[in-house]
Amino acid sequence: LLSCRLYCEEAKDPKRRSCQTVLAEALDIIIRSFAPILPHLAEEVFQYIPYKKDSEGVFRTGWINASSAWKKPGIEEAIEGACAMRDSFLGSISGKNALEYEVIIVIEPGLLFELMEALQAEETSSVSQLNEIMMASQTTLLSELPKEIPSDANIIKGTFLINLEGGDICEQSSYKVIAQPIAKAKCPRCRRYTAESSSTPCPRCLQVLAAGKGSM
């Protein structure tokens, strides 16, 4: 999830920048958490953070102060729901390379479907947050089973309990996960099976490479 965003996206792409922001926030909280116990180590790490603009030290810049923007309603439930579906997918392929598969997630219209739409607005994507969590090369999000399913397709069924606003909103939702070997070739740059041939980068990588050349 992190490696694809950090090393495959364009330098100023919002997906890459948001990943860097999360890592920076996590590091800041970790340093301040163990500073009272390991003060010298915490201070040394703090002084080597390249993006810090002040040099007062970890003990003079206050305690943990996480922004309320991180507490967006529904995000935790969306991630937990996606992780539950990912576990179903990974369990169905018995330790095989997840990138060699495409995933179809089927959820009836409701709260769970809306939460997954927040992670993937498009019906099918290889670069969405949902696909990154699933660890597949491509993820399709549907509200009903597709008309054409291979006869040997393994359909995994599961349920997920959504609990929002301290229990005021509860909904038990069912889902189906279908894993299919993907028909595309392995991209030589991002290593996902999203290219038309093994000698040509996938459309996303071609776009990033073209943008890099244009900014030189």
Side-chain angles (χ1 to χ4, degrees):
L1 176 61
L2 295 179
S3 61
C4 188
R5 284 193 176 197
L6 290 174
Y7 302 116
C8 296
E9 299 292 352
E10 188 181 353
K12 295 183 180 180
D13 188 281
K15 291 192 287 294
R16 183 175 185 273
R17 296 291 292 159
S18 66
C19 181
Q20 291 177 309
T21 299
V22 171
L23 290 174
E25 185 75 9
L27 178 60
D28 186 80
I29 291 175
I30 290 172
I31 293 172
R32 296 180 193 279
S33 297
F34 69 68
I37 305 171
L38 299 169
H40 297 293
L41 176 60
E43 184 62 35
E44 183 176 5
V45 174
F46 188 83
Q47 292 300 331
Y48 275 94
I49 294 177
Y51 49 82
K52 286 290 181 184
K53 294 183 179 180
D54 58 70
S55 58
E56 293 183 5
V58 67
F59 291 100
R60 293 189 177 183
T61 53
W63 184 236
I64 297 171
N65 185 25
S67 171
S68 59
W70 297 101
K71 300 179 181 179
K72 188 175 180 180
I75 289 297
E76 182 177 353
E77 288 73 17
I79 299 298
E80 289 180 351
C83 287
M85 297 174 200
R86 178 194 62 196
D87 292 343
S88 297
F89 159 56
L90 295 178
S92 72
I93 61 175
S94 304
K96 296 178 182 177
N97 184 2
L99 290 175
E100 296 179 359
Y101 289 83
E102 61 175 317
V103 178
I104 300 175
I105 299 174
V106 182
I107 309 171
E108 293 184 359
L111 186 53
L112 182 60
F113 186 86
E114 293 175 5
L115 291 175
M116 292 305 105
E117 278 190 316
L119 301 177
Q120 178 170 305
E122 310 89 350
E123 183 176 283
T124 299
S125 177
S126 61
V127 297
S128 68
Q129 295 180 70
L130 179 58
N131 187 66
E132 289 178 344
I133 294 172
M134 296 303 293
M135 300 170 61
S137 279
Q138 180 175 286
T139 297
T140 298
L141 179 62
L142 302 174
S143 58
E144 58 183 16
L145 282 171
K147 295 180 179 179
E148 296 183 4
I149 303 178
S151 57
D152 59 345
N154 186 15
I155 302 177
I156 307 98
K157 298 180 181 180
T159 59
F160 182 74
L161 178 62
I162 300 171
N163 193 331
L164 291 172
E165 299 184 8
D168 291 340
I169 300 177
C170 289
E171 184 176 299
Q172 181 87 14
S173 300
S174 60
Y175 62 84
K176 297 180 182 70
V177 176
I178 306 170
Q180 300 179 161
I182 195 162
K184 295 185 178 180
K186 186 177 183 179
C187 173
R189 182 174 180 271
C190 69
R191 303 298 183 184
R192 288 184 175 178
Y193 289 77
T194 51
E196 297 302 323
S197 72
S198 58
S199 60
T200 306
C202 66
R204 186 271 301 271
C205 287
L206 285 173
Q207 183 178 355
V208 172
L209 291 170
K213 290 180 181 180
S215 60
M216 293 177 65

